[in-house]
């Protein structure tokens, strides 16, 4: 399969490319941070999206590009990709932020109820993509953790363990996922006959503090050095059992994938 990966300079985009390279002809698309062998693309511009897709002629597109504080990139960019997909199989990476705080998990059939601008942008993108490309896969996920210490949460642990200002929230609860598990699942969904909403998050819910402490222990820091505050209650859990039942990829809990080597 000839595969176009948007957001290829990001944590997830890089891992999707790495996982896909042995089986697919992968073309990375990036905005500002150059990726070798890639094409520059501003997804906010429909004409650029059209030109890139016509030049690459992909069989599949995994759309990971977003910018949390920019509606045009997150929402309009996804719409542009859907409008210009030209028959390519589309996998759109969405987020648990399409939901709001509650004490029980959300499954794939529940309607978005975002409470943040970022969540609203992703929810708008989901709605548009389902209308434009009914056969697309929309893969909602949660906090993404890496293997190289470069994910946002891993970097935050290092900063706070070093005494920089800030704190981890004890009332902010998510279902962390390892970037390799997520990338593998996205590629599996791309090649499947699944369409519509899927949930690809870890099977274990943890607070930001619990997650931070696991990262600190793995990386050789004293977890007791991490400051914590309750914060605004934000319990958003994705129930991924339905999607996991059709995947060969084992999406691991954080206590499993963080019980390993120290990141240098």
């Amino acid at each position: 399969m000839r595969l176009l990966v948007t957001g290829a300079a990001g944590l997830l985009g890089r891992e999707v490319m790495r996982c896909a390279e042995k089986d697919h002809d992968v073309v990375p698309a990036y905005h500002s941070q150059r990726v070798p062998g890639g094409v520059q693309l501003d997804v906010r511009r429909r004409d650029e999206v059209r030109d890139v897709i016509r030049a690459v002629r992909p069989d599949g597109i995994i759309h990971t590009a977003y910018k949390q504080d920019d509606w045009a990139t997150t929402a309009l960019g996804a719409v542009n990709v859907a409008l210009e997909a030209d028959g390519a199989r589309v996998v759109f990476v969405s987020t648990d932020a399409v939901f709001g705080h509650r004490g029980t998990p959300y499954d794939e059939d529940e309607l978005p109820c975002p409470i943040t601008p970022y969540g609203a942008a992703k929810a708008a993108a989901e709605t548009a993509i389902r209308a434009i490309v009914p056969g697309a896969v929309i893969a909602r996920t949660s906090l993404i953790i890496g293997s190289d210490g470069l994910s946002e949460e891993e970097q935050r642990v290092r900063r706070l363990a070093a005494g920089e200002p800030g704190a981890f929230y004890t009332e902010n609860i998510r279902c962390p996922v390892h970037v390799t598990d997520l990338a593998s699942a996205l590629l599996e969904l791309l090649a499947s006959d699944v369409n519509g909403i899927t949930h690809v998050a870890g099977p274990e819910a943890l607070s930001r503090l619990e997650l931070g402490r696991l990262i600190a222990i793995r990386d050789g820091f004293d977890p007791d050095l991490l400051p914590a505050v309750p914060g605004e209650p934000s319990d958003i859990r994705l129930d991924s059992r339905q999607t996991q039942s059709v995947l060969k990829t084992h999406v691991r809990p954080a206590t499993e994938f963080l019980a390993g080597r120290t990141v240098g």
Side-chain angles (χ1 to χ4, degrees):
M1 182 180 291
R2 188 162 174 80
L3 175 62
L4 178 67
V5 179
T6 69
L11 176 69
L12 178 57
R14 292 196 309 270
E15 189 65 10
V16 168
M17 289 193 301
R18 188 189 71 81
C19 292
E21 281 174 346
K22 71 174 183 176
D23 296 316
H24 303 291
D25 177 14
V26 184
V27 179
Y30 63 90
H31 180 220
S32 55
Q33 183 180 338
R34 186 178 179 276
V35 177
V39 292
Q40 191 167 22
L41 173 63
D42 184 344
V43 295
R44 297 171 297 182
R45 295 188 53 177
R46 185 173 171 183
D47 58 336
E48 283 195 20
V49 174
R50 181 188 304 117
D51 290 346
V52 165
I53 290 176
R54 286 180 177 176
V56 173
R57 300 178 63 84
D59 304 298
I61 302 169
I62 297 184
H63 182 57
T64 77
Y66 77 99
K67 191 173 180 182
Q68 198 160 55
D69 59 353
D70 182 13
W71 179 282
T73 298
T74 302
L76 182 60
V79 172
N80 287 338
V81 169
L83 287 169
E84 299 300 334
D86 194 26
R89 169 81 159 155
V90 175
V91 176
F92 169 62
V93 181
S94 190
T95 172
D96 54 11
V98 299
F99 298 117
H101 165 72
R102 87 175 186 192
T104 56
Y106 290 92
D107 63 34
E108 288 92 338
D109 296 325
E110 298 191 66
L111 296 177
C113 51
I115 60 172
T116 65
Y118 171 62
K122 283 288 193 178
E126 286 187 6
T127 302
I129 289 169
R130 295 186 76 180
I132 298 165
V133 189
V137 176
I138 294 168
R140 295 175 181 149
T141 192
S142 189
L143 296 178
I144 303 173
I145 307 301
S147 298
D148 53 10
L150 296 180
S151 72
E152 183 178 336
E153 292 299 307
E154 291 166 290
Q155 292 184 60
R156 183 177 291 118
V157 167
R158 294 187 175 204
R159 291 195 302 268
L160 296 187
E164 293 188 21
F168 283 98
Y169 295 129
T170 60
E171 302 300 320
N172 187 301
I173 298 171
R174 298 292 187 270
C175 295
V177 63
H178 193 278
V179 66
T180 302
D181 297 347
L182 177 56
S184 297
L186 294 175
L187 289 165
E188 191 176 342
L189 289 168
L190 177 75
S192 75
D193 58 3
V194 172
N195 57 56
I197 301 293
T198 62
H199 284 181
V200 189
E204 179 180 46
L206 296 173
S207 72
R208 296 270 187 160
L209 176 61
E210 290 170 326
L211 177 61
R213 289 176 65 88
L214 287 173
I215 294 170
I217 292 168
R218 183 202 63 182
D219 293 353
F221 297 109
D222 182 353
D224 293 331
L225 293 177
L226 300 181
V229 296
E232 188 74 20
S234 180
D235 184 342
I236 305 177
R237 313 180 193 195
L238 296 181
D239 185 339
S240 301
R241 289 176 296 178
Q242 179 177 317
T243 301
Q244 180 67 83
S245 70
V246 302
L247 293 175
K248 293 180 180 178
T249 301
H250 170 51
V251 180
R252 296 166 289 170
T255 48
E256 180 179 334
F257 67 69
L258 288 171
R261 65 180 181 82
T262 298
V263 175

